[in-house]
């Protein structure tokens, strides 16, 4: 009976990892990067080296290297070397979603600048000005909302509601 439970968990894990790959691919990462995140989310130790990731995800070392580099660049994964180990390990950044949301707030601020230039360029075209102003208003709304949520999250010490 224990083997059946373990097999069922292995299937659930594999399905989760694939779902994570598809989800993060829709957000602009490679599917492999999403699968790496999914694997690390459910890995008991929260950490794996490149060889373990290649084997678990059945991907080439070169493909994995590109994915890990991108995840590190985005601040979603950190490289570390456990004591007594010869290989670097990778783990998901603490508060990975808070980090990702902070990155989005920065992107929204940059978009605000682009939209502002567009508004200036659209002078004399009421329809274009109206369209751009609506985008600017929504962008500012999102920035305020996300910033407020992040402040609340930080005030809670990076934890959800208690109780």
């Amino acid at each position: 009976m224990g083997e059946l439970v373990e097999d069922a968990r292995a299937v659930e894990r594999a399905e989760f990892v694939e779902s994570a790959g598809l989800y993060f691919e829709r957000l602009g990462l490679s599917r492999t990067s999403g699968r790496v995140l999914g694997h690390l989310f459910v890995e008991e130790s929260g950490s794996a080296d490149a060889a373990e990731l290649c084997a678990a995800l059945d991907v080439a070392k070169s493909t994995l290297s590109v994915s890990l580099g991108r995840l590190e660049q985005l601040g979603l994964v950190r490289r570390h070397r456990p004591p007594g180990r010869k290989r670097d390990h990778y783990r998901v950044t603490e508060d990975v979603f808070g980090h990702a949301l902070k990155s989005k707030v920065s992107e929204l601020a940059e978009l605000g600048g682009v939209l502002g230039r567009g508004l200036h360029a659209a002078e004399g075209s009421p329809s274009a000005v109206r369209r751009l102003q609506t985008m600017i208003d929504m962008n500012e709304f999102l920035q305020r909302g996300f910033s407020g949520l992040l402040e609340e999250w930080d005030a809670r010490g990076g934890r959800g509601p208690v109780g």
Side-chain angles (χ1 to χ4, degrees):
M1 188 71 165
E3 284 184 35
L4 288 176
V5 171
E6 285 182 36
D7 288 346
R9 284 195 185 123
V11 168
E12 282 184 55
R13 268 181 73 138
E15 288 174 352
F16 170 76
V17 168
E18 292 306 318
S19 295
L22 291 170
Y23 174 77
F24 287 106
E25 183 178 43
R26 285 192 304 273
L27 295 181
L29 292 175
S30 70
R31 187 176 299 187
T32 300
S33 294
R35 292 176 70 223
V36 167
L37 289 172
H39 179 81
L40 293 174
F41 289 159
V42 296
E43 175 62 34
E44 176 63 30
S45 69
S47 172
D49 68 28
E52 292 166 341
L53 288 166
C54 281
L57 302 175
D58 193 26
V59 296
K61 186 177 178 181
S62 59
T63 301
L64 182 69
S65 179
V66 170
S67 291
L68 288 170
R70 181 70 176 137
L71 291 170
E72 280 186 283
Q73 179 185 28
L74 293 170
L76 301 176
V77 167
R78 299 252 187 256
R79 182 190 322 221
H80 68 102
R81 183 161 299 176
R85 298 286 182 97
K86 294 181 181 180
R87 295 182 180 163
D88 288 339
H89 279 60
Y90 299 87
R91 66 174 166 233
V92 174
T93 303
E94 205 65 36
D95 192 20
V96 65
F97 290 119
H99 181 81
L101 190 51
K102 288 174 187 169
S103 177
K104 283 293 172 204
V105 171
S106 295
E107 290 174 19
L108 288 171
E110 186 177 340
L111 176 60
V114 171
L115 293 173
R117 288 190 299 279
L119 188 62
H120 182 70
E123 282 181 20
S125 176
S127 293
V129 166
R130 203 171 27 261
R131 225 179 359 260
L132 283 160
Q133 189 60 56
T134 298
M135 288 188 277
I136 289 169
D137 293 346
M138 174 59 96
N139 185 48
E140 290 172 354
F141 173 79
L142 290 172
Q143 283 184 65
R144 284 190 309 273
F146 287 154
S147 294
L149 288 170
L150 285 166
E151 287 172 16
E152 183 179 341
W153 181 252
D154 288 343
R156 292 178 181 205
R159 299 180 53 158
V162 178

